[in-house]
Amino acid sequence: DSEIELRVAGLAGVSSGAKAVILNVTAANAASDTYVTVYPNGVARPDASSLNIAGGQTAANLVVAKVGTDGKVRLYNSAGSVSLIADVTGYFI
């Protein structure tokens, strides 16, 4: 498993006061069956998945995620390696 944090608030036109973001999350080149969870930085990871991927598959899902108090979200990959692309399509203040 692996995890990354991604700053979203205050960048690329997203208000620094954003409380949640709408992300189009795409997973590509999955080495094995896995799932990705998107959640606010600074809190415990939830048990729910945001995107499920089969090995070798490319898949996308629209995700609404709360933003951490530091302006970041976390993307957790449960197994193997996968390339992740997260495009902000909107936000809530």
Side-chain angles (χ1 to χ4, degrees), residues 35 37 45-49:
Y35 66 87
T37 300
R45 184 177 68 243
D47 291 330
S49 66

Side-chain angles (χ1 to χ4, degrees), residues 16-88:
S16 59
K19 302 297 184 197
V21 290
I22 304 166
L23 297 168
N24 185 34
V25 179
T26 304
N29 305 317
S32 61
D33 293 354
T34 188
Y35 66 87
V36 174
T37 300
V38 182
Y39 65 101
N41 196 38
V43 303
R45 184 177 68 243
D47 291 330
S49 66
S50 304
L51 175 62
N52 299 301
I53 311 105
Q57 178 186 25
T58 296
N61 195 25
L62 199 61
V63 177
V64 177
K66 186 175 178 181
V67 175
T69 57
D70 60 357
K72 298 176 182 177
V73 295
R74 295 188 76 82
L75 289 88
Y76 167 79
N77 172 44
S78 71
S81 63
V82 65
S83 298
L84 294 175
I85 303 162
D87 297 306
V88 177

